[in-house]
Amino acid sequence: MIQRTRRKIDAALKAKIAMEALREQASVADLAQRYQVHPNQIYAWKKQLQDQAARAFESGPGDGAQDREREIEKLHAKIGQLIVERIF
């Protein structure tokens, strides 16, 4: 038996396929055949896109921005500590 490796599909292609499925200009079966993916996978990407679409319109900084700010504060504290140690 021949061992096949899994195909890795990047996020941009997943989004493109999910958007085409949402537009419903072509059936999911047609999209699956065109992009050589299983129809169930297209349904999953479509559902994920619908569930997370509201995030694009949320106001305020996301969790990533808060994590980044905390990391910057920790690094500034470390820099201050190293400067003090170097002086002594």
Side-chain angles (χ1 to χ4, degrees):
M1 182 188 270
I2 298 174
Q3 182 104 12
R4 293 179 61 188
T5 59
R6 286 187 174 211
R7 188 172 123 197
K8 293 184 173 109
I9 300 174
D10 64 335
L13 182 58
K14 289 178 185 179
K16 179 181 175 184
I17 295 170
M19 288 295 293
E20 286 186 35
L22 278 174
R23 286 188 204 120
E24 296 179 350
Q25 293 176 345
S27 69
V28 172
D30 291 338
L31 292 173
Q33 188 175 24
R34 186 181 332 151
Y35 292 105
Q36 298 177 351
V37 295
H38 198 275
N40 288 344
Q41 189 64 61
I42 294 176
Y43 285 119
W45 293 336
K46 181 180 171 182
K47 184 178 183 324
Q48 185 178 6
L49 180 63
Q50 287 174 328
D51 292 345
Q52 296 181 3
R55 285 186 176 177
F57 301 105
E58 287 180 351
S59 61
D63 292 332
Q66 291 174 352
D67 291 341
R68 186 170 179 246
E69 288 296 323
R70 278 190 233 121
E71 185 67 25
I72 289 172
E73 288 176 18
K74 283 176 28 180
L75 291 173
H76 282 277
K78 185 67 175 176
I79 289 170
Q81 178 186 357
L82 292 173
I83 289 172
V84 170
E85 288 177 3
R86 194 174 126 226
I87 291 172
F88 288 110

